[in-house]
């Protein structure tokens, strides 16, 4: 579903991603862990083209989505094609980024209407199913300011799913929440994983990574240091840097 080949990303002289090679197969839940500043969020942002890579290749569902070297295109990929591929990725951010002037229902339905040209009658049924999935059927006419942080993040998940993506990207979706609200968001993510959604989750929630992840990736200083099944990474990490990180947080 996703493939990164020799991906580098620099901001000026600062090299944030260094030779990232990664494949994500259908139905996998890949949890990405590591210290702050290790490049985890940047990798996700490069996947959905919020950041342009410096060099390397990114494939989405088998098709080349971006290919750049030293800021120059190596292959002429029409912007429309890149946009089409990116609609296969749903993204949930640390901050909820909901439109404050729109209701919950309007937040969920605006992108499918504008980008995918869905008709009102079609998106209405999708929106109600998603509201049920995230447990917010009774909040459809509320505005974001009247919701808790956990409720807002659940709306953000429903909004991303409304585009009917094949892959969901989560960028530390619980880091901005009060501790007692974390569980309600993780429960929605567990439902998605159980239903077979392909997911890449940047997270500090090690319990979620252990329970739900099919693979765990540890990143540090812009590189993938180690990856494997959760049982192996958490119980028997091979790399000293992984051992040191887990020793501090577990």
């Amino acid at each position: 579903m996703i493939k990164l080949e020799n991906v580098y990303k620099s901001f000026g002289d600062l090299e944030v991603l260094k030779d990232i090679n990664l494949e994500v197969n259908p139905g996998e839940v890949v949890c990405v862990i590591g210290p702050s500043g290790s490049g985890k969020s940047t990798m996700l942002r490069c996947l959905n083209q919020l950041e342009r890579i410096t060099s390397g290749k990114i494939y989405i569902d088998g098709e080349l989505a971006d290919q750049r070297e030293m800021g120059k295109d190596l292959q002429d990929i029409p912007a429309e094609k890149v946009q089409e591929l990116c609609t296969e990725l749903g993204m949930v951010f640390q901050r909820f980024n909901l439109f404050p002037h729109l209701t919950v229902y309007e937040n969920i339905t605006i992108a499918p209407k504008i980008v995918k040209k869905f008709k009102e009658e079609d998106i209405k049924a999708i929106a109600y199913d998603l509201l049920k999935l995230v447990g917010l059927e009774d909040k459809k006419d509320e505005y974001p300011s009247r919701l808790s942080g956990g409720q807002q993040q659940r709306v953000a998940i429903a909004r991303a799913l409304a585009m009917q993506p094949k892959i969901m990207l989560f960028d530390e979706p619980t880091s901005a929440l009060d501790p007692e609200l974390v569980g309600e968001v993780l429960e929605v993510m567990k439902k998605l994983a159980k239903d077979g959604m392909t997911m890449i989750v940047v997270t500090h929630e090690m319990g979620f990574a252990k329970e739900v992840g099919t693979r765990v990736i540890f990143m540090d200083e812009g590189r993938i240091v180690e990856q494997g099944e959760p049982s192996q990474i958490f119980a028997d990490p091979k790399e000293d840097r992984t051992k040191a990180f887990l020793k501090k947080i577990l």
Side-chain angles (χ1 to χ4, degrees):
M1 296 294 285
I2 282 180
K3 185 177 182 180
L4 291 85
E5 286 186 356
N6 310 117
V7 167
Y8 287 80
K9 172 62 182 175
S10 297
F11 294 100
D13 294 332
L14 179 62
E15 200 168 48
V16 181
L17 296 179
K18 306 168 186 176
D19 197 23
I20 298 294
N21 290 277
L22 175 65
E23 292 186 19
V24 179
N25 297 311
E28 274 199 287
V29 179
V30 177
C31 294
V32 186
I33 65 172
S36 297
S38 58
K40 307 183 301 295
S41 295
T42 299
M43 182 174 71
L44 288 195
R45 292 175 66 84
C46 287
L47 276 172
N48 68 3
Q49 306 296 307
L50 290 174
E51 301 287 353
R52 290 298 185 117
I53 61 177
T54 305
S55 65
K57 298 177 184 178
I58 293 177
Y59 295 88
I60 298 173
D61 205 11
E63 295 195 60
L64 188 63
D66 195 12
Q67 183 181 33
R68 297 174 67 83
E69 187 172 71
M70 300 301 290
K72 296 180 180 179
D73 287 326
L74 290 179
Q75 183 166 324
D76 184 21
I77 305 170
E80 295 81 7
K81 183 61 178 177
V82 173
Q83 183 179 0
E84 178 188 336
L85 290 170
C86 285
T87 61
E88 297 185 5
L89 305 176
M91 180 92 174
V92 177
F93 300 87
Q94 296 178 36
R95 298 288 172 180
F96 325 120
N97 294 338
L98 298 177
F99 295 113
H101 62 292
L102 299 181
T103 65
V104 166
Y105 178 83
E106 290 167 339
N107 264 283
I108 291 171
T109 58
I110 186 171
K113 288 178 182 177
I114 293 174
V115 179
K116 290 201 166 181
K117 311 299 182 187
F118 281 17
K119 295 179 180 178
E120 178 65 34
E121 58 266 27
D122 296 329
I123 191 57
K124 185 175 182 179
I126 294 171
Y128 279 99
D129 283 345
L130 290 173
L131 284 167
K132 186 176 181 180
L133 173 71
V134 300
L136 292 172
E137 306 101 305
D138 60 334
K139 301 293 185 182
K140 71 179 185 68
D141 296 320
E142 294 284 5
Y143 288 90
S145 61
R146 296 174 61 89
L147 302 177
S148 70
Q151 290 171 331
Q152 290 188 59
Q153 192 62 298
R154 284 186 279 156
V155 174
I157 293 172
R159 180 180 62 180
L161 290 170
M163 290 291 286
Q164 299 182 324
K166 295 181 180 179
I167 304 152
M168 285 289 288
L169 309 177
F170 292 88
D171 186 9
E172 297 185 26
T174 59
S175 65
L177 300 178
D178 292 334
E180 65 267 25
L181 301 177
V182 168
E184 62 190 55
V185 173
L186 293 181
E187 280 304 313
V188 174
M189 294 170 65
K190 289 175 185 177
K191 287 181 188 176
L192 292 178
K194 188 176 180 181
D195 289 341
M197 174 63 76
T198 306
M199 298 160 61
I200 304 178
V201 184
V202 171
T203 185
H204 292 299
E205 300 291 338
M206 299 300 145
F208 176 86
K210 286 180 183 179
E211 179 184 351
V212 183
T214 56
R215 184 162 30 127
V216 173
I217 289 173
F218 173 66
M219 290 183 67
D220 188 40
E221 296 184 349
R223 300 183 186 277
I224 294 176
V225 176
E226 185 171 357
Q227 60 180 301
E229 294 184 1
S231 57
Q232 180 263 306
I233 293 294
F234 289 108
D236 187 27
K238 306 302 181 189
E239 300 293 330
D240 289 342
R241 182 64 186 95
T242 314
K243 293 176 184 177
F245 174 77
L246 292 175
K247 187 176 180 179
K248 287 182 178 179
I249 63 170
L250 294 180

